PDB file of all heavy atoms in Angstrom:
ATOM      1  N   ALA A  62     -10.518   6.608   6.572  1.00 30.00           N
ATOM      2  CA  ALA A  62     -11.779   5.873   6.560  1.00 30.00           C
ATOM      3  C   ALA A  62     -11.958   5.053   7.823  1.00 30.00           C
ATOM      4  O   ALA A  62     -13.043   5.003   8.405  1.00 30.00           O
ATOM      5  CB  ALA A  62     -11.831   4.966   5.328  1.00 30.00           C
ATOM      6  N   LEU A  84      -3.359 -14.342   9.096  1.00 97.00           N
ATOM      7  CA  LEU A  84      -3.245 -15.581   9.865  1.00 97.00           C
ATOM      8  C   LEU A  84      -1.859 -16.205   9.700  1.00 97.00           C
ATOM      9  O   LEU A  84      -1.344 -16.816  10.647  1.00 97.00           O
ATOM     10  CB  LEU A  84      -4.329 -16.563   9.430  1.00 97.00           C
ATOM     11  CG  LEU A  84      -4.526 -17.800  10.308  1.00 97.00           C
ATOM     12  CD1 LEU A  84      -4.887 -17.405  11.731  1.00 97.00           C
ATOM     13  CD2 LEU A  84      -5.615 -18.698   9.716  1.00 97.00           C
ATOM     14  N   VAL A  87       0.230 -14.735  12.244  1.00 97.00           N
ATOM     15  CA  VAL A  87      -0.040 -15.338  13.552  1.00 97.00           C
ATOM     16  C   VAL A  87       0.701 -16.666  13.675  1.00 97.00           C
ATOM     17  O   VAL A  87       1.311 -16.965  14.713  1.00 97.00           O
ATOM     18  CB  VAL A  87      -1.557 -15.530  13.760  1.00 97.00           C
ATOM     19  CG1 VAL A  87      -1.837 -16.333  15.038  1.00 97.00           C
ATOM     20  CG2 VAL A  87      -2.264 -14.184  13.824  1.00 97.00           C
ATOM     21  N   ALA A  89       3.420 -17.564  12.158  1.00 98.00           N
ATOM     22  CA  ALA A  89       4.856 -17.300  12.279  1.00 98.00           C
ATOM     23  C   ALA A  89       5.204 -16.864  13.699  1.00 98.00           C
ATOM     24  O   ALA A  89       6.203 -17.324  14.279  1.00 98.00           O
ATOM     25  CB  ALA A  89       5.271 -16.227  11.273  1.00 98.00           C
ATOM     26  N   ARG A  92       5.120 -19.794  16.085  1.00 98.00           N
ATOM     27  CA  ARG A  92       6.341 -20.606  16.005  1.00 98.00           C
ATOM     28  C   ARG A  92       7.491 -19.927  16.744  1.00 98.00           C
ATOM     29  O   ARG A  92       8.258 -20.582  17.460  1.00 98.00           O
ATOM     30  CB  ARG A  92       6.709 -20.849  14.533  1.00 98.00           C
ATOM     31  CG  ARG A  92       5.764 -21.786  13.794  1.00 98.00           C
ATOM     32  CD  ARG A  92       6.322 -22.199  12.453  1.00 98.00           C
ATOM     33  NE  ARG A  92       6.376 -21.075  11.516  1.00 98.00           N
ATOM     34  CZ  ARG A  92       5.407 -20.764  10.666  1.00 98.00           C
ATOM     35  NH1 ARG A  92       4.288 -21.483  10.639  1.00 98.00           N
ATOM     36  NH2 ARG A  92       5.541 -19.749   9.831  1.00 98.00           N
ATOM     37  N   LYS A  97       4.039 -25.606  20.038  1.00 98.00           N
ATOM     38  CA  LYS A  97       4.210 -26.864  19.321  1.00 98.00           C
ATOM     39  C   LYS A  97       3.530 -26.806  17.952  1.00 98.00           C
ATOM     40  O   LYS A  97       2.439 -26.222  17.825  1.00 98.00           O
ATOM     41  CB  LYS A  97       3.625 -28.021  20.126  1.00 98.00           C
ATOM     42  CG  LYS A  97       4.195 -28.206  21.520  1.00 98.00           C
ATOM     43  CD  LYS A  97       3.555 -29.406  22.188  1.00 98.00           C
ATOM     44  CE  LYS A  97       3.939 -29.511  23.657  1.00 98.00           C
ATOM     45  NZ  LYS A  97       3.189 -28.537  24.488  1.00 98.00           N
ATOM     46  N   ASP A 106      -5.495 -24.321  11.641  1.00 97.00           N
ATOM     47  CA  ASP A 106      -5.810 -24.891  10.322  1.00 97.00           C
ATOM     48  C   ASP A 106      -7.303 -24.726  10.019  1.00 97.00           C
ATOM     49  O   ASP A 106      -8.161 -25.081  10.848  1.00 97.00           O
ATOM     50  CB  ASP A 106      -5.453 -26.371  10.269  1.00 97.00           C
ATOM     51  CG  ASP A 106      -3.962 -26.609  10.116  1.00 97.00           C
ATOM     52  OD1 ASP A 106      -3.211 -25.617  10.058  1.00 97.00           O
ATOM     53  OD2 ASP A 106      -3.545 -27.787  10.070  1.00 97.00           O
ATOM     54  N   GLY A 107      -7.590 -24.185   8.847  1.00 95.00           N
ATOM     55  CA  GLY A 107      -8.983 -24.029   8.430  1.00 95.00           C
ATOM     56  C   GLY A 107      -9.738 -22.929   9.138  1.00 95.00           C
ATOM     57  O   GLY A 107     -10.961 -22.793   8.954  1.00 95.00           O
ATOM     58  N   ARG A 113     -20.542 -13.177  12.832  1.00 95.00           N
ATOM     59  CA  ARG A 113     -21.431 -12.898  13.975  1.00 95.00           C
ATOM     60  C   ARG A 113     -20.667 -12.240  15.127  1.00 95.00           C
ATOM     61  O   ARG A 113     -21.222 -11.412  15.850  1.00 95.00           O
ATOM     62  CB  ARG A 113     -22.082 -14.203  14.447  1.00 95.00           C
ATOM     63  CG  ARG A 113     -23.004 -14.064  15.641  1.00 95.00           C
ATOM     64  CD  ARG A 113     -24.166 -13.135  15.365  1.00 95.00           C
ATOM     65  NE  ARG A 113     -25.105 -13.129  16.493  1.00 95.00           N
ATOM     66  CZ  ARG A 113     -25.979 -12.157  16.728  1.00 95.00           C
ATOM     67  NH1 ARG A 113     -26.056 -11.117  15.908  1.00 95.00           N
ATOM     68  NH2 ARG A 113     -26.783 -12.223  17.758  1.00 95.00           N
ATOM     69  N   PRO A 122     -25.492  -3.392  22.786  1.00 63.00           N
ATOM     70  CA  PRO A 122     -26.516  -2.421  23.168  1.00 63.00           C
ATOM     71  C   PRO A 122     -26.039  -1.533  24.313  1.00 63.00           C
ATOM     72  O   PRO A 122     -25.242  -1.943  25.144  1.00 63.00           O
ATOM     73  CB  PRO A 122     -27.686  -3.311  23.626  1.00 63.00           C
ATOM     74  CG  PRO A 122     -27.029  -4.583  24.060  1.00 63.00           C
ATOM     75  CD  PRO A 122     -25.850  -4.764  23.151  1.00 63.00           C
ATOM     76  N   GLU A 123     -26.531  -0.309  24.304  1.00 62.00           N
ATOM     77  CA  GLU A 123     -26.229   0.572  25.430  1.00 62.00           C
ATOM     78  C   GLU A 123     -26.847  -0.018  26.691  1.00 62.00           C
ATOM     79  O   GLU A 123     -27.922  -0.596  26.668  1.00 62.00           O
ATOM     80  CB  GLU A 123     -26.787   1.973  25.174  1.00 62.00           C
ATOM     81  CG  GLU A 123     -26.094   2.715  24.052  1.00 62.00           C
ATOM     82  CD  GLU A 123     -26.597   4.137  23.927  1.00 62.00           C
ATOM     83  OE1 GLU A 123     -27.294   4.594  24.847  1.00 62.00           O
ATOM     84  OE2 GLU A 123     -26.298   4.775  22.910  1.00 62.00           O
ATOM     85  N   ARG A 167     -20.276 -18.980  49.703  1.00 98.00           N
ATOM     86  CA  ARG A 167     -21.446 -18.336  49.086  1.00 98.00           C
ATOM     87  C   ARG A 167     -21.060 -17.354  47.994  1.00 98.00           C
ATOM     88  O   ARG A 167     -21.802 -17.158  47.036  1.00 98.00           O
ATOM     89  CB  ARG A 167     -22.300 -17.640  50.154  1.00 98.00           C
ATOM     90  CG  ARG A 167     -21.623 -16.488  50.888  1.00 98.00           C
ATOM     91  CD  ARG A 167     -22.482 -16.018  52.053  1.00 98.00           C
ATOM     92  NE  ARG A 167     -21.877 -14.971  52.850  1.00 98.00           N
ATOM     93  CZ  ARG A 167     -22.207 -13.694  52.773  1.00 98.00           C
ATOM     94  NH1 ARG A 167     -23.131 -13.296  51.916  1.00 98.00           N
ATOM     95  NH2 ARG A 167     -21.641 -12.800  53.564  1.00 98.00           N
ATOM     96  N   ILE A 215      -2.619 -21.851  26.335  1.00 98.00           N
ATOM     97  CA  ILE A 215      -3.428 -22.755  27.160  1.00 98.00           C
ATOM     98  C   ILE A 215      -3.586 -24.105  26.463  1.00 98.00           C
ATOM     99  O   ILE A 215      -3.457 -25.173  27.088  1.00 98.00           O
ATOM    100  CB  ILE A 215      -4.805 -22.114  27.442  1.00 98.00           C
ATOM    101  CG1 ILE A 215      -4.639 -20.896  28.352  1.00 98.00           C
ATOM    102  CG2 ILE A 215      -5.764 -23.126  28.066  1.00 98.00           C
ATOM    103  CD1 ILE A 215      -5.858 -20.002  28.409  1.00 98.00           C
ATOM    104  N   THR A 262     -14.927 -29.327  35.185  1.00 98.00           N
ATOM    105  CA  THR A 262     -14.527 -29.854  36.498  1.00 98.00           C
ATOM    106  C   THR A 262     -14.854 -28.843  37.586  1.00 98.00           C
ATOM    107  O   THR A 262     -14.203 -27.798  37.701  1.00 98.00           O
ATOM    108  CB  THR A 262     -13.023 -30.180  36.523  1.00 98.00           C
ATOM    109  OG1 THR A 262     -12.726 -31.112  35.487  1.00 98.00           O
ATOM    110  CG2 THR A 262     -12.617 -30.756  37.869  1.00 98.00           C
ATOM    111  N   LEU A 288     -27.113  -2.758  52.172  1.00 98.00           N
ATOM    112  CA  LEU A 288     -27.991  -1.650  51.842  1.00 98.00           C
ATOM    113  C   LEU A 288     -28.149  -0.768  53.075  1.00 98.00           C
ATOM    114  O   LEU A 288     -28.307  -1.272  54.198  1.00 98.00           O
ATOM    115  CB  LEU A 288     -29.357  -2.183  51.403  1.00 98.00           C
ATOM    116  CG  LEU A 288     -30.381  -1.172  50.894  1.00 98.00           C
ATOM    117  CD1 LEU A 288     -29.907  -0.537  49.596  1.00 98.00           C
ATOM    118  CD2 LEU A 288     -31.732  -1.863  50.689  1.00 98.00           C
ATOM    119  N   VAL A 289     -28.088   0.554  52.890  1.00 98.00           N
ATOM    120  CA  VAL A 289     -28.187   1.465  54.034  1.00 98.00           C
ATOM    121  C   VAL A 289     -29.171   2.590  53.762  1.00 98.00           C
ATOM    122  O   VAL A 289     -29.581   2.825  52.617  1.00 98.00           O
ATOM    123  CB  VAL A 289     -26.806   2.076  54.389  1.00 98.00           C
ATOM    124  CG1 VAL A 289     -25.860   1.006  54.908  1.00 98.00           C
ATOM    125  CG2 VAL A 289     -26.207   2.821  53.208  1.00 98.00           C
ATOM    126  N   LYS A 335     -23.612   4.296  45.142  1.00 97.00           N
ATOM    127  CA  LYS A 335     -24.955   4.415  44.566  1.00 97.00           C
ATOM    128  C   LYS A 335     -24.851   3.896  43.129  1.00 97.00           C
ATOM    129  O   LYS A 335     -24.452   4.625  42.230  1.00 97.00           O
ATOM    130  CB  LYS A 335     -25.409   5.874  44.593  1.00 97.00           C
ATOM    131  CG  LYS A 335     -26.875   6.098  44.272  1.00 97.00           C
ATOM    132  CD  LYS A 335     -27.229   7.573  44.518  1.00 97.00           C
ATOM    133  CE  LYS A 335     -28.727   7.808  44.350  1.00 97.00           C
ATOM    134  NZ  LYS A 335     -29.159   7.747  42.932  1.00 97.00           N
ATOM    135  N   SER A 359     -18.161  -3.329  37.120  1.00 94.00           N
ATOM    136  CA  SER A 359     -19.534  -2.837  37.053  1.00 94.00           C
ATOM    137  C   SER A 359     -20.127  -2.846  38.441  1.00 94.00           C
ATOM    138  O   SER A 359     -20.130  -3.878  39.122  1.00 94.00           O
ATOM    139  CB  SER A 359     -20.368  -3.730  36.124  1.00 94.00           C
ATOM    140  OG  SER A 359     -21.748  -3.522  36.342  1.00 94.00           O
ATOM    141  N   ASP A 360     -20.635  -1.694  38.882  1.00 96.00           N
ATOM    142  CA  ASP A 360     -21.284  -1.639  40.181  1.00 96.00           C
ATOM    143  C   ASP A 360     -22.542  -2.498  40.203  1.00 96.00           C
ATOM    144  O   ASP A 360     -22.884  -3.086  41.234  1.00 96.00           O
ATOM    145  CB  ASP A 360     -21.640  -0.195  40.538  1.00 96.00           C
ATOM    146  CG  ASP A 360     -20.426   0.620  40.937  1.00 96.00           C
ATOM    147  OD1 ASP A 360     -19.627   0.144  41.769  1.00 96.00           O
ATOM    148  OD2 ASP A 360     -20.268   1.745  40.430  1.00 96.00           O
TER     149      ASP A 360
END
Side-chain angles (χ1 to χ4, degrees):
L84 191 59
V87 172
R92 290 191 292 268
K97 303 182 188 77
D106 283 0
R113 179 60 174 159
E123 292 185 12
R167 64 188 177 103
I215 292 165
T262 303
L288 185 66
V289 293
K335 191 173 186 288
S359 163
D360 286 312

